[in-house]
Amino acid sequence: MAIPKVAAIHDLSGLGKCSLTAAIPILAVCGVQAVPMPTAVLSNQTAFESYTGADLSIYMPMIAEEWKKRRAEFQGIFTGYLSSEQEVKWVEGFIDEFRKEDTLILVDPVLGDEGKFYRGFGDEMCCAMRNLCKKADVITPNLTEALFLLGKDAALAEQGEPLEIVEQYAKELSKLGPSTVIITGIHQGENIWNVGFDAVNKECFSVSTRKIGEGYSGTGDILSSVVCGCMVRGESAHQALEKAAKLLEASIAEAVEDGTDPNEGIAFEHHLKLLMD
Ligand code: PXL
């Protein structure tokens, strides 16, 4: 089988093992080619105390134009952290232009965590992301992002909502359009749960990992990259989520053992082999 291609629309951050530095190796190990559309080049992800970088949004239309000339076809389009509402809007147009019948559209609606927006984001970005989610087949918000997208109080994420309620949230979000919704990072006692809803089979599924260490950079991006790679190669969302949880658990455990700064991300490189079968 020819190697499937996924247009991966994320930033390229030097330190922090998130966005493209997670997506490229993870898709590769799944047997999928990441075709990067870098939205920005940054020294590091934005949760470090400072960062520098260059916004590449003016180049994105030119890159897309060249891809059109090459007649590039994608079996997946995968978006994550986007830096402005205009960029989100542009990505909608990119999806309209490049989507084929069999293209899996995965939108990770990166907006915030722990009940709060990330630096520079607010209600307008949330509104833009909600519109982008309407174009997706799969979305992977964390609980904070799910609450923002539903217009609910995101502070509820801090308490960790009961799983039955989160299943309801996943069902509500699927009404925006995506046939699969995976809500990640629900804290319950010793575990962190990820709750999915498959609107085609009308089935909920959930997968947990042991809660270890602190909130590490890039874990959401790693989860969505695994889901993207596994689903593009034909696995179900549930199977994909199981693999993502295994990779996260092993990689977080190693980061804890190494005493890694949470901003630096987790030791996923040593565990990519978990995705090989
Ligand atoms: O992991 C999400 C993410 C991706 N890219 C950048 C970020 C963040 C989260 O803070 O800052 C640049």
Side-chain angles (χ1 to χ4, degrees):
M1 187 180 91
I3 307 272
K5 287 193 181 79
V6 167
I9 310 178
H10 307 251
D11 61 278
L12 179 63
S13 286
L15 294 171
K17 298 202 228 180
C18 60
S19 37
L20 282 178
T21 58
I24 296 170
I26 288 172
L27 290 174
V29 89
C30 291
V32 172
Q33 178 186 351
V35 181
M37 168 75 82
T39 58
V41 175
L42 302 177
S43 53
N44 46 262
Q45 52 88 352
T46 62
F48 282 94
E49 61 188 49
S50 66
Y51 66 96
T52 185
D55 178 31
L56 299 183
S57 46
I58 59 162
Y59 295 98
M60 292 163 63
M62 293 187 253
I63 293 172
E65 213 36 59
E66 292 297 321
W67 288 355
K68 256 191 271 170
K69 283 196 224 162
R70 312 277 103 76
R71 298 188 201 288
E73 290 198 359
F74 300 108
Q75 286 67 48
I77 298 175
F78 173 29
T79 79
Y81 181 96
L82 297 168
S83 39
S84 64
E85 291 104 78
Q86 292 83 326
E87 203 164 88
V88 177
K89 199 93 208 101
W90 182 83
V91 170
E92 281 187 50
F94 178 91
I95 292 172
D96 291 340
E97 184 93 41
F98 281 90
R99 162 178 244 162
K100 296 266 177 296
E101 220 174 301
D102 67 341
T103 309
L104 182 90
I105 313 291
L106 192 155
V107 170
D108 185 9
V110 177
L111 287 168
D113 203 1
E114 296 174 358
K116 294 189 212 76
F117 282 116
Y118 289 134
R119 196 189 287 200
F121 291 172
D123 291 339
E124 275 144 36
M125 188 60 166
C126 177
C127 186
M129 270 301 179
R130 190 180 299 114
N131 284 333
L132 182 59
C133 287
K134 294 178 186 166
K135 302 229 173 250
D137 300 304
V138 183
I139 61 170
T140 54
N142 61 34
L143 181 55
T144 297
E145 290 158 348
L147 290 163
F148 278 134
L149 291 170
L150 290 166
K152 296 187 194 291
D153 179 9
L156 291 170
E158 281 298 78
Q159 294 142 229
E161 293 266 73
L163 296 186
E164 309 80 68
I165 305 238
V166 181
E167 286 179 0
Q168 272 321 112
Y169 293 160
K171 286 179 190 168
E172 275 179 56
L173 283 172
S174 77
K175 291 189 191 138
L176 286 175
S179 51
T180 302
V181 175
I182 296 174
I183 301 181
T184 66
I186 303 129
H187 291 250
Q188 298 274 302
E190 297 296 294
N191 295 310
I192 300 181
W193 286 86
N194 304 291
V195 168
F197 177 62
D198 168 351
V200 174
N201 298 309
K202 303 205 168 24
E203 266 171 19
C204 288
F205 51 92
S206 47
V207 174
S208 72
T209 54
R210 276 176 307 126
K211 196 192 282 189
I212 29 175
E214 305 170 57
Y216 284 89
S217 165
T219 49
D221 300 355
I222 290 167
L223 183 142
S224 56
S225 298
V226 174
V227 169
C228 182
C230 289
M231 289 186 76
V232 166
R233 73 180 177 189
E235 292 171 39
S236 71
H238 191 173
Q239 284 172 313
L241 187 58
E242 298 265 6
K243 293 217 170 118
K246 285 205 176 99
L247 177 67
L248 285 171
E249 200 162 73
S251 313
I252 293 172
E254 189 175 328
V256 170
E257 209 176 292
D258 294 344
T260 307
D261 171 353
N263 276 329
E264 294 273 357
I266 61 173
F268 72 83
E269 296 87 340
H270 280 163
H271 305 282
L272 288 172
K273 53 188 171 297
L274 293 170
L275 304 177
M276 279 188 156
D277 46 296

